[in-house]
Amino acid sequence: MRLAAAFLALLLTLLASAPARAGSLDRAGIERHFPAPLVVGERDDKLPVWPILKQEAGAYELFAYAFESIDFAAIPGFGGVAPNLLIALAPDGTFRDARVLTHHEPVFLEGLGSEPLFAFVEQYVGLSARRAIRVGRPNARAGGAPPQTTVDGISMATASTRVINETMLSAALAVARAKLGFGAGAVGLKVEPRPEAEALDVAELERRGWLLRFTLSQEAADRAFAGTGLEGADPGEEPFADLRIAYLNVPTIGRAVLGEAAYGRLMRELAGDHAVLVASAGRWSPIPDDFVLGSIPERLGVQQGGLALAARDMAWERRDLAPSLPPGPWTLLRIGEAAGFDPSAPWTLVLRLARQRGQILPETVTREVEVAYRLPPDLFVRQAPDTGPHWSDGWRARAPELGVIAAALALLVPVLARQRGLVARARPFGRFRLAYLAFTLGFIGWYAQAQLSVVTLAGLARAASGRGDLAFLLYDPPSLLLWGFVLATLLVWGRGTFCGWLCPFGALQELAARLAAPLRIRQITVPPRLDRHLRNLKYGVLAAILVTAALGLPATDSLAEVEPFKTAITLYFWRSLPFVLYGAGLIVLNLFVYKGFCRYLCPLGAALAVLGRLRLLDWIPRRPECGSPCQLCRVRCRYGAIDARGRVDYPECFQCMDCVTIVHDPGQCVPQVLARRRQAAHTRPATLAEVA
């Protein structure tokens, strides 16, 4: 512990030299990411958002809003520090650009490298922030997942990519609601027409306003151009415009307007999108003579909640509508499901009226007329948006892994608790332990990626100092499940349950140590005095990591690399050579000094050893003869966790259960063997010589 105190003192003297973290990008930094012909406008005076402008037809139009995610969604990653992304959001809510500015994700730093993370974030370009975007497994989109709602995950970085996904969406939606007029209820909202259809005719639909008739008189059209000198520039018969407007997805409306067969065909073609009918009987037509089917109508638009929605002509086959509808031009506007359109809420059809003045260089003047449309909410079934955090996706996606791990933990508890059961039978228990260690390494470690790490404790230190929180744990369900189990067993048995049974790297060492005998490698006995000093080293390493984390020093990430877990378990030794040599070197050291890393260097083991002192039980059975005269358990203990007096040093015990097996085995426990011999000597028949 004196070594730990020395580490603390050294780090406290270095506080003055701790570098400060960089702030947000300034104008020059933003311009480097959005060079000409794009133009960076003036930063918003209320939000840290930069408008990015693009010149179109001699004028500047808004191309995107650029911002840093850390200003809106500072969600800590596995390094305990929130990643910072540069996001450019288009006026329609589409991601124009997405880049990683900074991150501290351990799996990418000196592991996979940052390139896979950069490529992961680039997948968001072109996707809409209006849709719930999920992180699938690697190559999920190639396997059939919807490309509009799914991004491919990264092997060995599932939890980190979910943190990035939540950061991306949370920051984007915060800006969209503030700058683009997104309604809070529109994002992720699912609204479907009720399947029950009331049979109504067109006349009744029009009476109820479900088939809305809108008439614009010539006088009203002229008033729209008041002050432009074009008030009487388009005289004609009354009315100027006579429209029928209807939302066709509702069965009652669609079947009355189109007929049963045509309505069914329309619904199949829409596949979840929305269709709005606009039919005209007046002079003004929503469809000009040169209109191209399937394009976005210049004369019509759809708005909801102050946000313009993309509405495109459906290019549907032009067949006659219901006989009572006007025979004039009409269009079906298709609104994509991704637009977040809520047909049960009020929305507006925008009519764009255009008149020209001048003959040599004609100038077009445009005015808009809005037509409000609303259907009764009881025609729809509304499914509230998933406003919960996106970490819940990970729990659903990894439910099978959680079930397997939970079952394995449930199996382990009775095996360890019932000491006169399987533990007392040396050969069957040895096979069970070998199989369980293989499961820990293969499934918990390499497959489920649930290797616990001191990085989590560093995150706790940051949270305690107000520099972060532990929300990142929610993105790694298997690890969180293990943490809960480990903390519970610490109070009962101490450190050994995790270190001896559930640590994948510990399992790798123990399995590798079985090669020592066939390779004829003799174990090195560390002198007792040196052994005591080396055991304290891990506490110093732990102190260094926690202090630097609490102070926000960048050295935390480097110090945490004392753990080879990321190299050996997370990245399967697929890493740069120095890290591979370090991890492999510890495995080789283990052949000579059994679990030398665990005993002398592991900071996580040190933390568990400290917390394990709160255990409620001294649960390892001892006999009066243990230590004097019997020394068998001490000699057999490869961890050196039993002293010469036979007492168990629980902070150094790895719960291999060898000593428990010996105590309960009459064929191994020396006091029991001697007692049996004495009993046999007293009960055997006397010989003739003895009688004489």
Side-chain angles (χ1 to χ4, degrees):
M1 298 304 294
R2 286 178 295 178
L3 184 58
F7 264 91
L8 284 170
L10 176 61
L11 289 169
L12 290 174
T13 60
L14 297 175
L15 288 181
S17 61
R21 295 187 59 81
S24 301
L25 291 174
D26 56 11
R27 171 182 286 276
I30 293 291
E31 288 177 342
R32 284 194 296 271
H33 291 284
F34 300 97
L38 298 176
V39 176
V40 179
E42 293 298 324
R43 176 172 163 163
D44 190 279
D45 57 353
K46 296 180 180 180
L47 293 174
V49 174
W50 299 83
I52 308 299
L53 309 175
K54 184 178 182 180
Q55 191 171 17
E56 294 285 351
Y60 286 101
E61 294 185 358
L62 179 64
F63 176 74
Y65 285 110
F67 53 94
E68 295 178 69
S69 65
I70 202 165
D71 292 324
F72 298 93
I75 301 174
F78 269 76
V81 179
N84 192 19
L85 313 174
L86 178 61
I87 303 172
L89 200 63
D92 65 353
T94 301
F95 290 101
R96 294 278 196 193
D97 199 0
R99 309 180 189 184
V100 179
L101 295 178
T102 60
H103 75 93
H104 291 77
E105 295 305 291
V107 70
F108 296 109
L109 294 174
E110 296 295 339
L112 295 173
S114 294
E115 288 74 15
L117 179 59
F118 298 159
F120 171 80
V121 170
E122 288 174 0
Q123 295 181 86
Y124 288 83
V125 177
L127 302 184
S128 174
R130 281 191 165 277
R131 305 192 75 167
I133 301 174
R134 311 297 184 190
V135 179
R137 291 189 176 275
N139 301 316
R141 293 196 285 184
Q148 300 86 2
T149 59
T150 307
V151 290
D152 292 335
I154 303 175
S155 296
M156 302 175 287
T158 302
S160 292
T161 53
R162 294 189 189 279
V163 170
I164 296 292
N165 183 63
E166 171 119 358
T167 298
M168 181 76 69
L169 296 182
S170 299
L173 291 180
V175 173
R177 291 183 175 118
K179 303 298 295 183
L180 305 181
F182 277 32
V187 179
L189 179 67
K190 186 176 183 180
V191 181
E192 295 180 343
R194 292 188 181 276
E196 306 85 14
E198 182 182 3
L200 302 176
D201 57 18
V202 169
E204 178 62 20
L205 292 178
E206 189 170 327
R207 188 189 69 79
R208 297 187 182 190
W210 298 2
L211 174 63
L212 179 66
R213 180 172 185 177
F214 174 76
T215 302
L216 183 67
S217 67
Q218 182 67 50
E219 181 182 359
D222 287 340
R223 285 199 302 269
F225 288 91
T228 65
L230 298 173
E231 292 85 341
D234 187 18
E237 299 177 358
E238 290 281 358
F240 176 78
D242 187 9
L243 304 179
R244 304 296 193 279
I245 305 166
Y247 177 74
L248 296 181
N249 292 56
V250 174
T252 299
I253 303 173
R255 288 169 180 164
V257 173
L258 301 177
E260 184 70 36
Y263 172 75
R265 181 165 61 90
L266 175 65
M267 292 300 103
R268 288 191 296 271
E269 293 184 22
L270 287 174
D273 290 348
H274 309 270
V276 174
L277 167 73
V278 181
S280 175
R283 291 190 302 108
W284 182 83
S285 172
I287 303 297
D289 294 337
D290 60 350
F291 181 71
V292 178
L293 300 181
S295 63
I296 298 177
E298 295 181 358
R299 298 184 178 184
L300 293 175
V302 176
Q303 291 184 354
Q304 187 172 54
L307 182 65
L309 306 179
R312 181 181 297 274
D313 177 75
M314 194 171 174
W316 214 52
E317 185 178 347
R318 260 50 181 173
R319 294 183 179 179
D320 292 338
L321 304 180
S324 56
L325 285 179
W330 60 274
T331 180
L332 287 185
L333 297 178
R334 183 171 188 161
I335 304 172
E337 185 183 13
F341 178 61
D342 179 4
S344 68
W347 57 273
T348 302
L349 181 72
V350 179
L351 314 181
R352 300 188 181 97
L353 313 181
R355 294 180 179 180
Q356 288 187 341
R357 58 186 173 194
Q359 296 181 352
I360 300 177
L361 295 174
E363 178 187 1
T364 300
V365 178
T366 303
R367 291 293 183 266
E368 293 184 349
V369 176
E370 297 184 353
V371 183
Y373 184 92
R374 181 171 190 175
L375 292 173
D378 57 7
L379 291 178
F380 301 90
V381 177
R382 295 170 59 90
Q383 181 176 336
D386 182 9
T387 57
H390 290 275
W391 54 259
S392 59
D393 296 341
W395 287 81
R396 289 190 291 268
R398 306 192 73 177
E401 298 170 30
L402 293 173
V404 172
I405 295 175
L409 298 180
L411 172 64
L412 183 62
V413 170
V415 169
L416 299 182
R418 296 181 67 251
Q419 295 183 5
R420 293 188 178 274
L422 181 61
V423 175
R425 302 162 60 193
R427 182 169 296 180
F429 178 71
R431 293 171 180 169
F432 172 80
R433 178 166 173 78
L434 179 63
Y436 205 96
L437 291 176
F439 167 81
T440 295
L441 175 62
F443 189 87
I444 294 180
W446 284 335
Y447 180 79
Q449 295 285 289
Q451 169 74 67
L452 302 190
S453 170
V454 75
V455 171
T456 303
L457 303 182
L460 178 61
R462 290 188 178 99
S465 63
R467 300 175 185 274
D469 58 46
L470 292 178
F472 67 89
L473 276 175
L474 297 173
Y475 295 87
D476 189 6
S479 295
L480 189 57
L481 173 62
L482 281 178
W483 271 116
F485 182 82
V486 169
L487 292 177
T489 55
L490 274 175
L491 297 177
V492 180
W493 290 316
R495 164 195 184 181
T497 307
F498 171 75
C499 294
W501 291 89
L502 297 172
C503 176
F505 186 74
L508 176 60
Q509 290 183 95
E510 188 160 340
L511 293 174
R514 293 176 175 267
L515 298 174
L519 293 177
R520 298 183 180 181
I521 297 176
R522 298 185 62 180
Q523 292 281 301
I524 298 175
T525 301
V526 181
R529 184 174 181 180
L530 177 60
D531 179 72
R532 287 195 299 271
H533 289 300
L534 290 177
R535 289 178 189 271
N536 287 331
L537 183 60
K538 60 180 176 286
Y539 297 102
V541 176
L542 172 66
I545 293 173
L546 295 184
V547 171
T548 55
L551 298 175
L553 300 179
T556 305
D557 296 333
S558 299
L559 289 172
E561 289 293 347
V562 71
E563 289 182 336
F565 304 162
K566 182 166 56 177
T567 299
I569 305 302
T570 306
L571 300 175
Y572 314 113
F573 287 101
W574 189 259
R575 207 177 179 190
S576 58
L577 185 59
F579 293 100
V580 173
L581 292 177
Y582 174 67
L586 292 177
I587 300 297
V588 174
L589 172 66
N590 167 70
L591 299 177
F592 297 91
V593 180
Y594 187 68
K595 282 196 171 182
F597 169 78
C598 302
R599 293 157 62 185
Y600 302 136
L601 280 178
C602 182
L604 178 60
L608 297 180
V610 172
L611 296 175
R613 295 181 183 275
L614 301 176
R615 74 186 184 285
L616 302 176
L617 304 174
D618 288 345
W619 58 275
I620 296 179
R622 299 281 81 196
R623 295 180 181 276
E625 298 87 351
C626 292
S628 179
C630 183
Q631 295 285 319
L632 180 61
C633 289
R634 184 183 70 83
V635 173
R636 293 274 187 90
C637 183
R638 292 173 291 179
Y639 303 99
I642 300 178
D643 62 20
R645 291 172 290 181
R647 294 183 303 185
V648 177
D649 185 0
Y650 284 92
E652 298 298 330
C653 174
F654 284 66
Q655 205 167 335
C656 67
M657 308 297 280
D658 285 350
C659 61
V660 179
T661 300
I662 292 173
V663 167
H664 291 299
D665 186 355
Q668 291 191 75
C669 181
V670 175
Q672 292 188 72
V673 172
L674 295 178
R676 192 171 64 253
R677 289 178 180 176
R678 287 194 295 267
Q679 183 179 6
H682 287 301
T683 57
R684 65 180 175 83
T687 65
L688 292 175
E690 291 173 338
V691 173

